[in-house]
Amino acid sequence: MLDNKQSEAGIRFEALSELFDPVTFRHVDQLGITAGMRCWEVGAGGPSVPLGLAERVGPTGTVTATDIDVSWTRDVADGVIEVLRHDVAADPPPAGEFDLVHARLVLVHVTDRTEALRRMVQALRPGGWLLLEDADPGLQPLLCPDESGPEQQLANRLRSGFRTLMAGRGADLAYGRTLPRLLREAGLDDVQADAYFPITSPACAVLEAATVRQIRHRLVAEGLATDEEVDRHLANVTAGQLDLTTAPMISAWGRRRT
């Protein structure tokens, strides 16, 4: 639904990077990812996470960045970063074993999540870490938690429409909260998790505007909003008077047994 070929995809990737890279790399650093290690970035989307991992593993390490559409990452390929077109639920894992396998805001959109998770665990070396980060819109479904007026009510109604579209395409809107249990069931040790969602960051407004522009034709076609309502909401977002947030991103990590 959020097609990487659309120009708004690059805007979304930049906003997601600003919002969530500090969280992702806090976990990466706590897991001890350092020089010489091998990392697999699943569903890379934009370039920021592969580049951040490459800084940590240095010239003696490798980062394999995969996605079904590599439009926004192909240009960062170099001696450390390899970019591959790859479907995590259908294709064999990249060759070799990895010290870190990471996916952010990916599996919630994958139909066969169970198989994708199995393949990521399979790709870990003994002692390697799997770090999964995914949204849970069911835990906090509002775009404007402080629903104080008609502008906020409209924003929340359009966000509800977005969730309806996602669910209709097979997204699991309660997937994030299941990650700790799924990692334990996959046989990983030392499983932990936390959650984060920003409120009122300027990047939230950038992300919302780009997302709505990508899906507006589907919102209108499905009768979830009118063109006038979408235009009014985009104008409200641009005006900067809405305290926007995101669904919580739950980060869970576990280690493959040695």
Side-chain angles (χ1 to χ4, degrees):
M1 184 168 64
L2 296 169
D3 189 351
N4 283 4
K5 293 183 174 61
Q6 294 175 281
S7 60
E8 290 87 355
I11 299 171
R12 292 186 71 256
F13 291 146
E14 290 179 4
L16 290 169
S17 172
E18 182 175 340
L19 291 169
F20 295 122
D21 277 8
V23 177
T24 293
F25 287 111
R26 172 168 59 84
H27 294 309
V28 167
D29 292 338
Q30 287 175 343
L31 297 179
I33 304 307
T34 187
M37 291 187 170
R38 301 189 73 238
C39 301
W40 177 18
E41 177 63 17
V42 180
S48 69
V49 175
L51 289 170
L53 292 174
E55 290 178 6
R56 286 156 174 81
V57 303
T60 59
T62 62
V63 176
T64 302
T66 65
D67 206 327
I68 57 173
D69 183 341
V70 297
S71 303
W72 300 94
T73 50
R74 63 165 61 99
D75 291 342
V76 302
D78 58 16
V80 174
I81 300 174
E82 179 183 25
V83 177
L84 299 175
R85 190 180 184 280
H86 179 272
D87 183 338
V88 65
D91 299 328
E97 295 181 324
F98 294 92
D99 299 282
L100 173 71
V101 177
H102 173 249
R104 186 175 75 190
L105 305 175
V106 173
L107 291 187
V108 69
H109 299 288
V110 175
T111 302
D112 195 349
R113 301 174 194 89
T114 301
E115 180 60 21
L117 176 58
R118 188 191 70 79
R119 291 173 189 239
M120 286 189 280
V121 172
Q122 176 188 347
L124 292 170
R125 68 162 180 82
W129 290 97
L130 176 61
L131 172 60
L132 297 182
E133 301 182 296
D134 242 311
D136 195 312
L139 276 178
Q140 195 295 103
L142 301 178
L143 178 62
C144 294
D146 179 20
E147 195 176 70
S148 56
E151 296 86 358
Q152 290 78 12
Q153 292 167 2
L154 175 62
N156 287 339
R157 186 156 61 79
L158 265 61
R159 175 56 56 93
S160 177
F162 181 32
R163 294 199 312 274
T164 298
L165 293 175
M166 289 179 63
R169 290 176 172 261
D172 182 350
L173 303 182
Y175 188 66
R177 74 192 73 176
T178 70
L179 292 178
R181 171 175 56 81
L182 294 177
L183 294 190
R184 289 193 302 271
E185 291 176 351
L188 299 184
D189 292 334
D190 303 322
V191 173
Q192 298 184 57
D194 63 18
Y196 169 79
F197 67 100
I199 300 177
T200 72
S201 166
C204 287
V206 174
L207 178 63
E208 172 65 7
T211 300
V212 169
R213 288 190 177 100
Q214 278 196 278
I215 65 169
R216 71 173 296 157
H217 64 291
R218 291 189 171 92
L219 288 169
V220 173
E222 295 291 329
L224 298 168
T226 66
D227 275 314
E228 186 276 330
E229 287 172 329
V230 172
D231 288 338
R232 181 152 40 97
H233 173 60
L234 289 172
N236 292 337
V237 171
T238 300
Q241 299 303 307
L242 301 178
D243 292 325
L244 304 179
T245 187
T246 68
M249 185 178 76
I250 297 178
S251 303
W253 55 95
R255 184 198 297 264
R256 183 173 179 180
R257 291 171 186 165
T258 56

